[in-house]
């Protein structure tokens, strides 16, 4: 059964692509408030003309192609980016593979072949700083200048500011690296979240009275190590909890791991896929001299997490289903 949000890829037959659509174009890492302004402009344009609005985005992120050896902290992987886009009201997304051929395509060829020829767009919305095409020659001003000749409408969105600071994916990454969860949430328009399958751990939490669901995050995840109030999605169900992200200095100082303790939950979570939304930062990761001191601190962490979650009832990212 169709969810109403369709993903179009490079190998999608041109015959099934809805011609005349308007598009919001960008990398959309995190789908933050700046991105949502571009998406909102495309939705309004599509509504005015009675045509569907789609996102046009690129995978892998162009930074990954141009700097393959530089660690890339992505706010959302491809799947979660699409789930966020699917909840905005867009009819679908066009995911273009960013490879050597795409990187070498001139801006003019991209406009004429990809946007006009293949997609048959009638309008496009972009952010003020979005560039595309070989050498990043393509720009909002180029689209505006070409629009009359191409017969398309172009909407360029200015930057979105919060307290005189521009919203950007890099600013959100910095906030997460500093444990500033409130700032990240504000810029995103909802809690930042990660998704992963529950793996087997050392079972220490069970011995401490805090059995945890363990998730291995992307090795480049730049989230500050520490303790967090979290809200967890298991399918359509939601559970409150407290989580530790870090190297467990009291025990092994090993590879970073996200360990989530769900309040008032009983059941087997091994192999289950969880969405973990970060609602509040509790404290830095610490090393404890005794297990008793650790348990006392965990009791306090849990109480503080419950209070933070009670102050944010229902806080969870809006996610859509993908065809």
């Amino acid at each position: 059964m169709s969810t109403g949000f369709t993903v179009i890829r490079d190998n999608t037959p041109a015959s099934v692509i809805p011609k005349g659509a308007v598009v919001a174009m960008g990398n959309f890492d995190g789908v933050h408030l700046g991105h949502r302004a571009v998406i909102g402009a495309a939705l309004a344009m599509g509504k005015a003309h009675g045509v569907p609005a789609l996102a046009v985005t690129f995978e892998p992120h162009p930074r990954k192609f141009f700097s393959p050896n530089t660690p890339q902290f992505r706010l959302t992987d491809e799947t979660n980016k699409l789930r966020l886009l699917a909840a905005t009201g867009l009819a679908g997304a066009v995911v273009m593979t960013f490879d050597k051929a795409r990187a070498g395509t001139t801006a003019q060829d991209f406009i004429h072949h990809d946007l006009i020829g293949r997609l048959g767009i009638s309008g496009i919305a972009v952010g003020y700083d979005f560039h595309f095409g070989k050498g990043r020659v393509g720009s909002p001003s180029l689209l505006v200048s070409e629009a009359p000749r191409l017969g398309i409408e172009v909407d360029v969105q200015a930057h979105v500011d919060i307290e005189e600071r521009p919203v950007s994916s890099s600013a959100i990454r910095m906030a997460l690296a500093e444990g500033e969860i409130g700032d990240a949430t504000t810029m995103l328009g909802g809690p930042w979240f990660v998704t992963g399958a529950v793996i087997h751990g050392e079972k220490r939490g069970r011995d401490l009275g805090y059995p945890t669901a363990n998730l291995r995050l992307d090795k480049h995840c730049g989230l500050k190590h520490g303790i967090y109030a979290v809200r967890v999605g298991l399918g359509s169900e939601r559970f409150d909890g407290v989580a530790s992200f870090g190297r467990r200095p009291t025990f092994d100082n090993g590879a970073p791991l996200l360990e989530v303790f769900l309040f008032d939950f009983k059941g087997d979570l091994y192999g289950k896929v969880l969405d973990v939304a970060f609602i509040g930062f509790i404290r830095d990761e610490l090393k404890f001299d005794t297990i008793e001191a650790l348990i006392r601190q965990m009791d306090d962490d849990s109480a503080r997490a419950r209070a933070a979650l009670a102050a944010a009832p229902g806080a969870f990212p809006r996610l859509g289903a993908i065809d």
Side-chain angles (χ1 to χ4, degrees), residues 27-321:
N27 291 313
F28 298 124
D29 187 25
V31 194
H32 57 60
L33 291 183
H35 299 145
R36 289 174 189 270
V38 175
I39 292 165
L43 287 168
M45 194 187 301
K47 184 177 180 180
H49 297 289
V51 297
L54 309 171
V56 169
T57 191
F58 305 88
E59 288 291 339
H61 194 291
R63 283 198 319 270
K64 179 70 173 175
F65 174 82
F66 289 115
S67 303
N69 298 318
T70 301
Q72 308 286 352
F73 172 22
R74 284 190 57 163
L75 298 175
T76 44
D77 62 16
E78 179 181 343
T79 298
N80 281 343
K81 176 169 69 173
L82 291 173
R83 292 170 76 198
L84 287 166
L85 290 171
T88 64
L90 290 168
V94 181
V95 180
M96 296 185 175
T97 302
F98 199 91
D99 53 14
K100 184 176 181 181
R102 183 80 63 198
T105 300
T106 67
Q108 288 285 358
D109 280 349
F110 180 78
I111 293 171
H112 289 273
H113 178 266
D114 293 284
L115 296 181
I116 303 298
R118 178 166 165 77
L119 297 180
I121 68 168
S122 61
I124 184 169
V126 292
Y128 72 101
D129 59 347
F130 186 76
H131 289 78
F132 60 95
K134 185 177 180 181
R136 290 170 53 85
V137 171
S139 65
S141 59
L142 175 64
L143 288 170
V144 170
S145 66
E146 290 283 280
R149 188 165 62 85
L150 297 172
I152 63 173
E153 184 177 348
V154 176
D155 186 297
V156 180
Q157 286 291 303
H159 53 79
V160 173
D161 293 344
I162 295 177
E163 295 180 352
E164 300 182 357
R165 292 169 51 205
V167 172
S168 68
S169 297
S170 58
I172 295 166
R173 291 186 198 100
M174 188 176 300
L176 293 171
E178 295 172 352
E180 299 292 344
I181 296 299
D183 286 352
T185 300
T186 299
M187 288 187 280
L188 285 166
W192 181 69
F193 76 107
V194 295
T195 302
V198 177
I199 62 174
H200 287 274
E202 299 296 328
K203 312 292 192 296
R204 294 193 191 100
R206 184 181 302 171
D207 296 336
L208 299 173
Y210 284 90
T212 58
N214 302 320
L215 284 73
R216 188 77 68 188
L217 303 188
D218 185 275
K219 65 181 180 180
H220 299 311
C221 177
L223 178 68
K224 181 175 183 175
H225 290 182
I227 310 302
Y228 294 86
V230 296
R231 185 159 286 129
V232 177
L234 174 59
S236 61
E237 296 182 280
R238 302 288 178 263
F239 301 94
D240 287 353
V242 62
S244 168
F245 179 61
R247 297 182 178 277
R248 305 160 305 285
T250 302
F251 296 104
D252 59 6
N253 213 36
L257 188 68
L258 179 65
E259 301 172 280
V260 184
F261 173 66
L262 300 182
F263 302 141
D264 312 314
F265 176 85
K266 295 189 186 305
D268 183 0
L269 289 171
Y270 290 119
K272 303 283 188 180
V273 175
L274 303 181
D275 294 314
V276 182
F278 292 79
I279 309 301
F281 180 76
I282 305 297
R283 63 170 174 85
D284 291 347
E285 186 174 44
L286 301 171
K287 181 176 181 178
F288 293 88
D289 294 329
T290 67
I291 297 300
E292 292 73 21
L294 172 59
I295 293 173
R296 285 195 298 273
Q297 185 62 60
M298 291 168 73
D299 291 341
D300 182 66
D301 295 339
S302 294
R304 293 176 63 188
R306 286 182 184 273
L309 291 158
F316 200 77
R318 288 190 59 206
L319 304 172

